[in-house]
Amino acid sequence: MTEPETTPRTGKRVLLAKPRGYCAGVDRAVQTVEEALTLYGAPIYVRKQIVHNKHVVQTLEAKGAIFVEENEEVPEGATVIFSAHGVAPEVYEQARERSLKAIDATCPLVTKVHQEARRFASEDYDILLIGHEGHEEVIGTAGEAPAHIQLVDGPDGVDKVTVRDPNKVVWLSQTTLSVDETLETVARLRQKLPLLQSPPSDDICYATSNRQHVVKEIAPDCDVVIVVGSRNSSNSVRLVEVAVDAGARAGHLVDFADEIDDAWLADARTVGVTSGASVPDELVQQVLAHLAERGFTDVEEITTANERLTFSLPQELKRDMKAAASRG
Ligand code: SF4
């Protein structure tokens, strides 16, 4: 009897994490730039990287987006889009002063943290914002109430915390942190401030925690976990750390498949693959093709959650799209 022709089994396999890649906030932000380019025409200015991914930024640049660091680089009267990470109120003010047409692509889950910060500040709380110093999201959130907010950059930042009234303190966080490290930071804060209040709902977003959860599931079976994502993407960097903490022998972050070093795969039988929340899936497919060329043809997708959340486009853009459509 002749054996049917199949791909030869090599004993090398890939565990592919799901959920991975684009979250609802990134999808909305990228679509916002694309729709703005279609509606208003190029160039469209974007303050900061719309999402922290090299490929996405390069692709939008090729379509006519111009990425700037600050509003003052945008010509007066032009259209500017604020990135998914959110901005401080002063950035809206600067845009008004320069007569810019501002479109806010801040993820609604970041906006929720801004609203919490404003509310607790208005009630005169001291707010301990757990997050990474210098990250755009943290700068934006802290800008909501600088006099009330102090940054706590991980468990080691707890010692420096001082508050006016230990009975009136709340913690908030950046949306893309390590869930486990944040719990550790909060536990350390509680030792110091037993009456510390928690945010009304989780600030670490569903996408961040879901991506970390599935990586924890696959990591113990993996010789190496490859995370597709950029170095300035907080949630992507966290996935590498989570993979190694959860038992993967090694973890590596790559923007593109050709950054994978063959030495990482030399003794590996099982490779885990995932991607950060700002990564289009075509980059993951390129990694799978790269691995298949090296004998990792057996791909098993491990699913721990199905995500269905979507966010509608910013109101100011939708209004203009509707007006354009009614003009025919
Ligand atoms: S990672 Fe979370 S907070 Fe950030 S854009 Fe995505 S859904 Fe929003």
Side-chain angles (χ1 to χ4, degrees):
M1 197 174 102
T2 332
E3 287 289 325
E5 205 175 302
T6 55
T7 314
R9 294 190 77 84
T10 59
K12 294 179 176 181
R13 63 176 184 156
V14 174
L15 297 181
L16 179 61
K18 186 179 170 195
R20 62 177 181 275
Y22 266 24
C23 60
V26 163
D27 196 29
R28 170 184 188 261
V30 173
Q31 264 191 57
T32 298
V33 180
E34 285 171 342
E35 292 289 354
L37 282 164
T38 307
L39 189 62
Y40 310 118
I44 291 290
Y45 292 83
V46 183
R47 185 185 176 278
K48 309 281 184 192
Q49 291 193 348
I50 184 74
V51 298
H52 286 155
N53 183 266
K54 219 186 246 183
H55 174 79
V56 171
V57 168
Q58 287 168 352
T59 306
L60 292 173
E61 270 173 344
K63 292 179 179 174
I66 297 177
F67 291 88
V68 298
E69 281 303 302
E70 295 302 340
N71 283 341
E72 62 201 24
E73 297 164 59
V74 182
E76 290 212 10
T79 300
V80 64
I81 297 175
F82 298 147
S83 79
H85 308 100
V87 295
E90 68 189 32
V91 176
Y92 296 102
E93 194 45 47
Q94 291 161 359
R96 261 192 299 276
E97 281 164 11
R98 292 182 66 74
S99 309
L100 304 181
K101 179 184 177 63
I103 298 174
D104 187 3
T106 303
C107 175
L109 300 180
V110 174
T111 302
K112 184 204 81 155
V113 183
H114 282 230
Q115 286 162 349
E116 288 168 355
R118 284 200 297 273
R119 175 161 78 79
F120 285 108
S122 73
E123 294 171 18
D124 203 26
Y125 275 76
D126 275 352
I127 300 166
L128 307 179
L129 178 62
I130 304 174
H132 296 300
E133 187 157 16
H135 189 277
E136 277 152 44
E137 184 188 322
V138 162
I139 294 170
T141 307
E144 289 287 354
H148 288 83
I149 295 181
Q150 54 187 302
L151 184 67
V152 184
D153 196 343
D156 294 338
V158 172
D159 293 342
K160 282 184 271 171
V161 168
T162 55
V163 297
R164 293 168 303 161
D165 177 358
N167 299 313
K168 215 167 175 187
V169 191
V170 63
W171 69 273
L172 302 178
S173 86
Q174 189 180 328
T175 55
T176 50
L177 299 180
S178 151
V179 173
D180 292 339
E181 190 186 274
T182 304
L183 289 176
E184 194 189 327
T185 308
V186 173
R188 294 263 290 268
L189 283 169
R190 277 238 157 77
Q191 280 171 3
K192 186 167 175 154
L193 300 162
L195 296 178
L196 176 70
Q197 291 186 37
S198 298
S201 59
D202 286 348
D203 287 341
I204 295 180
C205 75
Y206 79 99
T208 299
S209 44
N210 284 349
R211 279 150 194 69
Q212 288 175 18
H213 180 69
V214 63
V215 162
K216 276 193 202 170
E217 291 288 311
I218 65 170
D221 295 326
C222 294
D223 298 303
V224 56
V225 171
I226 294 172
V227 178
V228 187
S230 293
R231 303 219 158 266
N232 61 343
S233 161
S234 172
N235 79 86
S236 305
V237 174
R238 299 292 83 76
L239 287 174
V240 178
E241 295 167 358
V242 167
V244 173
D245 286 349
R249 290 219 319 261
H252 299 283
L253 184 67
V254 297
D255 261 301
F256 302 105
D258 62 9
E259 293 169 19
I260 296 172
D261 187 337
D262 280 342
W264 302 344
L265 309 174
D267 301 319
R269 308 302 292 170
T270 304
V271 177
V273 174
T274 187
S275 55
S278 45
V279 178
D281 211 52
E282 61 183 283
L283 300 183
V284 174
Q285 298 308 321
Q286 288 164 13
V287 164
L288 294 179
H290 181 100
L291 291 171
E293 282 167 14
R294 284 150 184 83
F296 293 87
T297 45
D298 181 6
V299 179
E300 188 185 348
E301 190 166 57
I302 308 292
T303 306
T304 55
N306 286 303
E307 295 178 347
R308 294 192 180 82
L309 186 68
T310 55
F311 294 128
S312 65
L313 291 171
Q315 284 299 333
E316 52 276 32
L317 180 60
K318 279 204 305 195
R319 208 172 38 232
D320 285 359
M321 287 167 73
K322 207 167 152 193
S326 67
R327 286 195 300 271

